[in-house]
Amino acid sequence: MGGKREEEDFEEEEVPTELNTINSSGGFLVVSPDKLSVKYTSVNLHGHDVGVVQANKPAPVKRLVYYFEIYVKDAGAKGQIAIGFTSESFKMRRQPGWEANSCGYHGDDGLLYRGQGKGEAFGPTFTTNDTVGGGINYASQEFFFTKNGSLVGAVYKDIKGPLFPTIAVHSQNEEVLVNFGQKKFAFDLKEYEAQERMKQQMTIEKISLPPNVSYGLVRSYLQHYGYEDTLNSFDLAGKTTVPPVFVAQENGFNEQDNVYALNQRKTLRQLIRNGEIDAAFDKLRNWHPWIVQDDKSSTCFLLHCQKFIELVRVGALEEAVKYGRMELAKYFGLAGFEELVQDCVALLAYEKPQESSVGYLLEDSQREIVADTVNAMILSTNPNVKDLHGCLHSCLERLLRQLTACCLERRSMNGDQGEAFHLHRVLNSGFQIREVEREVLVSIK
Amino acid sequence: MSLFWIVIRQLAEIEAMAMSKKVITREEWEKKLNDVKIRKEDMNKLVMNFLVTEGYVDAAEKFRMESGTEPDIDLATITDRMAVKKAVQCGNVEDAIEKVNDLNPEILDTNPQLFFHLQQQRLIELIRNGKVEEALEFAQEELAPRGEENQSFLEELERTVALLAFEDVSNCPVGDLLDISQRLKTASEVNAAILTSQSHEKDPKLPSLLKMLLWAQNQLDEKAAYPRINDLATATLEDPAI
């Protein structure tokens, strides 16, 4: 329906910005006033007086990767510094990794601890002046760590639930600074993300498609929405390409259904896109009167609203009011129509309606919705049509919906972690891969 | 008969449960599909991107008028690019090289492999037309020096020259070089290089999205039983089979 345009689904999540001073092991450490550095103030006597501090928020999950870094300002007496991730209920006197549901990379021995007392060989030790990073890769479901800009290694993440970036200090005078992204990282995170996406991209690219399936889908898209001129050009070009493109038709009358009333649909789309609603009504009364005979149908509703919008657009406000009283009043109070009708009428309240919250009605996309609805209605008048639902969505749209639904379902089964699929983002993201390709081309030169 | 299908469905569900896969009914799945928001303008962009990358200039122009979608590349550049592609597809390689250099002399300068393949195609055309002497001269003067710089070029050069050794080229081991597919391969390469030089992606996005769909379904198959689309051309949902 022609409701309010959906907000871009931006997955707003809170991110760690500073250290949490409330639950840190207060007796053993002190956090700086800016909450971005920590110093061990105690004397290390045993394994339960670690100075542990978590970030103020857990790592966000609705993205490809989360990452943060520490800078070891002073490794103190024994360099027993750790970086890692812990769950909310972590015992704040133990090194990350020494307890269940935690993971830590330790500077004194270079081992990785994952919930057992014993660590596993992982990477180099780290000390004063080293920058060490810890991250979660949601695509591969791994923890990974870096030292001075280079990747050290990764381990499988089998901890579920929110995870807090955690740092720990344990010997006298140890001091560590933390960076949650406010400053540039030593590690090239963008490159890492790009490579991760590349990996997935390359797996996908290896999949083979039936020949000419894209060509066929574009063709059926043009037929479905009535883009007659484009279709004719496209077909003509298809005959003269080398080799000529041939799309096998399953059965003869699939073709017929797709081009049903093609010229009429094309004409109506043009009229509606130009805002000529009266003319559109005329044509419909001529060609398919049953579509517009019930004034309370959604098609009539959308057309009347659009007519009203067009009057507002040209500033004919008095005429718009008259029209509204005549044709829109009846829709008030009808479920499903109310929101749009209210938004339309609200246009009258503004001197510059295009800049208001209902300004979306004046955009092309609104005309498009009306045109697509009329298109679907005409397709449904085809006596041969078997699947009414098919009149509403083109094959291409069905495929894109399936793609989105599968990605969302898989992500939801994964605890909602990782990037969601957004067609919009994919369409505008091409250049990431291109940049990597360019590097490769330049390096060959 | 319908009892039969009910039993089939139940068996599928039992099997899915045994493999601890989540079962999603047709009804549930269709509701999820309906909740997805796809913008018409995004689909239009996808179609325009296809028309433009594949070089359907007239269709792109008409689509711009009929849908109001702006192409993401200057349509004038498509005509030039298509002329180059056509020239290669028809075997007029010298003409194609001239046109590419007119378009942008840097393309061949920065693409030694492309340039070699174009020269190789020229050689193939000379051999195809029976111009043996010219072919040998061309191979020795233009291609041999490139072959010396690069091992894989040398190997391809040797393969191409081998064509001359056979009376009946259609049956020889390197006969595939005379196939039209070889011309198409070179034409595709040149098309891609021009697009890249114009800061445009060399492949349309639509095939990648289709592959992504196949991949996403395969991934989800590991964890759930749900209605799949198996025939991309018709995009019909099929209930999970046993």
Side-chain angles (χ1 to χ4, degrees):
Chain A
M1 261 300 220
K4 253 204 183 76
R5 199 209 333 228
E6 295 304 318
E7 291 286 297
E8 170 95 0
D9 177 27
F10 268 135
E11 327 263 25
E12 292 286 3
E13 269 180 301
E14 291 186 302
V15 295
T17 51
E18 58 189 27
L19 296 171
N20 181 343
T21 47
I22 300 176
N23 73 345
S24 61
S25 28
F28 308 131
L29 53 69
V30 70
V31 176
S32 60
D34 68 0
K35 301 198 185 169
L36 291 175
S37 71
V38 62
K39 200 166 177 177
Y40 192 69
T41 47
S42 184
V43 176
N44 161 351
L45 295 172
H46 49 70
H48 287 258
D49 59 0
V50 182
V52 187
V53 61
Q54 291 176 328
N56 59 339
K57 297 270 180 268
V61 300
K62 292 185 177 164
R63 54 174 70 182
L64 186 62
V65 172
Y66 175 74
Y67 180 77
F68 76 107
E69 281 183 346
I70 60 170
Y71 172 72
V72 182
K73 189 154 176 216
D74 189 346
K78 298 187 191 163
Q80 290 168 330
I81 296 163
I83 175 176
F85 293 90
T86 58
S87 59
E88 195 156 4
S89 54
F90 187 71
K91 282 197 200 111
M92 301 300 281
R93 298 152 169 262
R94 303 277 289 156
Q95 287 279 14
W98 282 357
E99 300 289 317
N101 291 331
S102 71
C103 164
Y105 174 34
H106 291 201
D108 58 347
D109 54 15
L111 300 181
L112 187 87
Y113 292 79
R114 302 202 248 173
Q116 266 101 33
K118 196 157 177 285
E120 52 201 71
F122 184 68
T125 58
F126 54 88
T127 181
T128 315
N129 287 332
D130 282 331
T131 301
V132 185
I136 306 177
N137 180 332
Y138 293 109
S140 59
Q141 288 286 299
E142 288 179 326
F143 290 117
F144 67 96
F145 294 92
T146 70
K147 179 183 173 186
N148 294 332
S150 310
L151 189 65
V152 172
V155 290
Y156 185 65
K157 169 180 95 75
D158 48 15
I159 310 174
K160 306 256 179 277
L163 285 167
F164 288 81
T166 306
I167 57 183
V169 286
H170 199 197
S171 72
Q172 270 179 304
N173 296 325
E174 282 175 17
E175 190 177 350
V176 167
L177 274 50
V178 71
N179 176 5
F180 289 118
Q182 296 99 335
K183 292 192 298 209
K184 190 167 178 321
F185 290 132
F187 179 64
D188 191 346
L189 185 63
K190 291 252 171 298
E191 178 62 32
Y192 178 80
E193 286 175 331
Q195 288 192 350
E196 190 62 42
R197 288 196 184 98
M198 257 298 227
K199 254 190 257 168
Q200 190 167 293
Q201 201 73 17
M202 287 176 56
T203 312
I204 294 175
E205 282 302 312
K206 287 202 179 91
I207 298 176
S208 62
L209 292 172
N212 293 329
V213 67
S214 297
Y215 180 91
L217 283 168
V218 167
R219 198 156 178 273
S220 99
Y221 183 88
L222 298 173
Q223 288 172 335
H224 179 97
Y225 289 107
Y227 294 113
E228 192 182 23
D229 295 342
T230 311
L231 181 63
N232 289 337
S233 273
F234 192 58
D235 277 344
L236 197 61
K239 295 198 178 83
T240 60
T241 55
V242 178
V245 184
F246 173 69
V247 182
Q249 292 293 341
E250 285 276 294
N251 22 16
F253 70 95
N254 259 342
E255 173 79 15
Q256 283 312 105
D257 292 336
N258 282 339
V259 296
Y260 173 79
L262 184 60
N263 186 265
Q264 290 180 353
R265 293 185 284 120
K266 168 218 155 123
T267 309
L268 278 160
R269 179 176 296 277
Q270 275 178 352
L271 289 173
I272 295 171
R273 281 186 57 81
N274 285 334
E276 299 175 48
I277 307 300
D278 287 331
F281 262 121
D282 276 339
K283 292 276 188 248
L284 278 171
R285 281 186 202 110
N286 236 327
W287 293 334
H288 300 282
W290 80 269
I291 293 181
V292 287
Q293 77 194 15
D294 173 13
D295 217 26
K296 297 245 172 75
S297 67
S298 1
T299 315
C300 284
F301 170 62
L302 284 174
L303 284 166
H304 283 310
C305 284
Q306 197 59 38
K307 168 85 189 165
F308 179 87
I309 291 169
E310 297 303 330
L311 288 170
V312 171
R313 189 197 305 279
V314 297
L317 297 182
E318 258 187 67
E319 222 186 305
V321 168
K322 252 202 316 213
Y323 192 81
R325 285 185 183 151
M326 224 174 27
E327 303 291 356
L328 292 187
K330 61 172 99 70
Y331 298 113
F332 272 100
L334 286 184
F337 295 175
E338 205 146 42
E339 206 183 303
L340 179 56
V341 111
Q342 280 174 3
D343 279 2
C344 286
V345 175
L347 283 169
L348 293 171
Y350 301 94
E351 213 184 304
K352 291 204 181 135
Q354 61 270 35
E355 291 172 20
S356 71
S357 63
V358 289
Y360 74 95
L361 290 171
L362 291 166
E363 289 176 26
D364 271 352
S365 48
Q366 189 59 29
R367 284 173 170 173
E368 195 75 6
I369 290 171
V370 181
D372 286 342
T373 306
V374 168
N375 186 69
M377 281 295 139
I378 298 181
L379 280 175
S380 72
T381 67
N382 181 354
N384 287 334
V385 80
K386 292 180 227 109
D387 167 30
L388 279 177
H389 210 73
C391 299
L392 198 50
H393 301 310
S394 55
C395 284
L396 179 60
E397 186 167 356
R398 292 206 286 271
L399 294 172
L400 294 173
R401 281 171 186 264
Q402 182 79 356
L403 169 54
T404 310
C406 285
C407 289
L408 286 177
E409 187 63 32
R410 190 167 147 260
R411 195 176 81 140
S412 125
M413 291 177 90
N414 221 6
D416 257 355
Q417 294 180 2
E419 288 183 309
F421 172 76
H422 282 295
L423 177 62
H424 196 76
R425 203 185 292 156
V426 169
L427 282 179
N428 298 309
S429 80
F431 295 101
Q432 261 176 345
I433 298 183
R434 194 185 55 79
E435 283 312 310
V436 178
E437 272 183 53
R438 286 217 132 172
E439 301 294 306
V440 173
L441 284 172
V442 167
S443 67
I444 287 180
K445 199 171 156 179
Chain B
M1 205 43 184
S2 63
L3 184 59
F4 175 70
W5 290 113
I6 292 173
V7 171
I8 295 271
R9 168 92 161 262
Q10 280 180 351
L11 285 173
E13 286 177 26
I14 292 172
E15 183 183 348
M17 276 197 290
M19 295 161 66
S20 63
K21 274 201 221 177
K22 178 175 170 190
V23 174
I24 307 178
T25 63
R26 179 94 178 217
E27 230 182 288
E28 290 169 336
W29 189 251
E30 282 185 346
K31 175 154 192 319
K32 290 183 202 277
L33 289 175
N34 280 332
D35 284 343
V36 172
K37 308 266 172 286
I38 302 281
R39 288 193 229 174
K40 177 79 184 302
E41 61 179 344
D42 284 340
M43 291 198 291
N44 279 349
K45 267 198 209 154
L46 196 54
V47 167
M48 179 59 93
N49 168 273
F50 181 84
L51 295 174
V52 149
T53 314
E54 297 292 281
Y56 295 103
V57 192
D58 288 329
E61 188 58 62
K62 294 279 179 348
F63 193 59
R64 174 208 251 156
M65 290 195 298
E66 284 191 307
S67 73
T69 313
E70 281 305 316
D72 50 357
I73 197 174
D74 185 356
L75 294 183
T77 63
I78 302 183
T79 321
D80 297 332
R81 171 165 55 96
M82 288 302 114
V84 172
K85 194 172 175 191
K86 194 95 186 260
V88 176
Q89 285 169 343
C90 297
N92 301 330
V93 189
E94 258 184 274
D95 188 32
I97 294 180
E98 218 183 287
K99 287 191 158 74
V100 174
N101 282 330
D102 282 343
L103 244 172
N104 184 345
E106 274 194 38
I107 295 177
L108 292 178
D109 284 341
T110 55
N111 253 302
Q113 183 169 27
L114 172 62
F115 187 54
F116 178 80
H117 283 151
L118 283 167
Q119 296 287 65
Q120 180 190 21
Q121 194 64 46
R122 245 172 107 179
L123 178 58
I124 293 171
E125 299 305 327
L126 286 170
I127 296 175
R128 188 201 308 277
N129 293 324
K131 301 193 170 138
V132 177
E133 244 187 78
E134 241 185 284
L136 286 170
E137 224 182 281
F138 184 71
Q140 284 165 7
E141 279 174 30
E142 299 287 336
L143 289 169
R146 305 257 135 59
E148 276 163 31
E149 297 163 13
N150 183 316
Q151 182 62 25
S152 71
F153 288 359
L154 187 59
E155 280 165 21
E156 289 191 61
L157 174 57
E158 288 175 356
R159 271 193 89 221
T160 316
V161 170
L163 276 171
L164 288 166
F166 297 90
E167 276 281 351
D168 182 10
V169 277
S170 44
N171 269 326
C172 76
V174 289
D176 61 301
L177 289 172
L178 288 173
D179 218 33
I180 195 168
S181 56
Q182 183 64 23
R183 278 188 190 169
L184 295 182
K185 211 164 92 173
T186 314
S188 247
E189 216 185 313
V190 113
N191 186 57
I194 298 176
L195 279 167
T196 311
S197 79
Q198 292 169 339
S199 302
H200 194 265
E201 277 169 40
K202 59 180 175 65
D203 293 316
K205 294 187 166 121
L206 180 53
S208 298
L209 285 172
L210 297 177
K211 289 181 184 185
M212 222 187 275
L213 170 57
L214 295 176
W215 175 82
Q217 287 191 144
N218 290 341
Q219 293 278 306
L220 188 54
D221 280 345
E222 290 171 17
K223 299 203 174 159
Y226 62 97
R228 289 175 114 261
I229 292 182
N230 295 320
D231 181 0
L232 293 177
T234 57
T236 36
L237 276 179
E238 290 172 37
D239 286 323
I242 295 190

